[in-house]
Amino acid sequence: MSTLEESLRAISDRVKSHSSTMTTEEAVKTAVVLPFLRSLGYDVFDPSEVIPEYTADAVGKKGEKVDYAIKIDNEIRILIECKPISVGLEKKHLDQLYRYFSVTNAKFPILTNGRTFNFYPDLEALNKLDTRPFFVFDVTDFNSGVISELRKFEKGNFDVAAILATAER
């Protein structure tokens, strides 16, 4: 079993046994999102790589902050917006993520409630978030296909073109 798979199993077990206590965004970030990012090879303790509360002010909005921005090769490439585990991921959350996405160079915004991770592209129109995710990952129910997709997001393997090719399919 790969270290990514081992990490995902540990996160899955944590979600299954502690989801009733993950009632806040902070609990989801600490118990699920940071370990998930770490399993992908990102240094969650390096605030120049995994940037918490990244300012992404949209026009007419001040103090807008996305939960995490991931910097790869000195460019913001991934945005992560977290919600409590009890919250269903809805259009209003996607609208919030869209505002952050539209003012950054990120290529892959992720919306999560700690159980479900929705990965969105901008295939329909450049720099405009698609309304449907190209990849949905349930941390409590994954297989080798999911792991091979997640490997494309690993720090050492991150390749925008390869991920977009998958998204187009």
Side-chain angles (χ1 to χ4, degrees), residues 118-134:
N118 291 345
F119 293 69
Y120 292 90
D122 63 346
L123 296 173
E124 293 167 17
L126 194 61
N127 298 326
K128 187 173 189 300
L129 201 57
D130 292 359
T131 55
R132 286 190 7 242
F134 73 90

Side-chain angles (χ1 to χ4, degrees), residues 34-52:
L34 289 175
F36 174 70
L37 291 173
R38 198 167 185 194
S39 74
L40 293 175
Y42 298 99
D43 183 350
V44 299
F45 300 110
D46 179 350
S48 68
E49 180 172 291
V50 176
I51 308 165

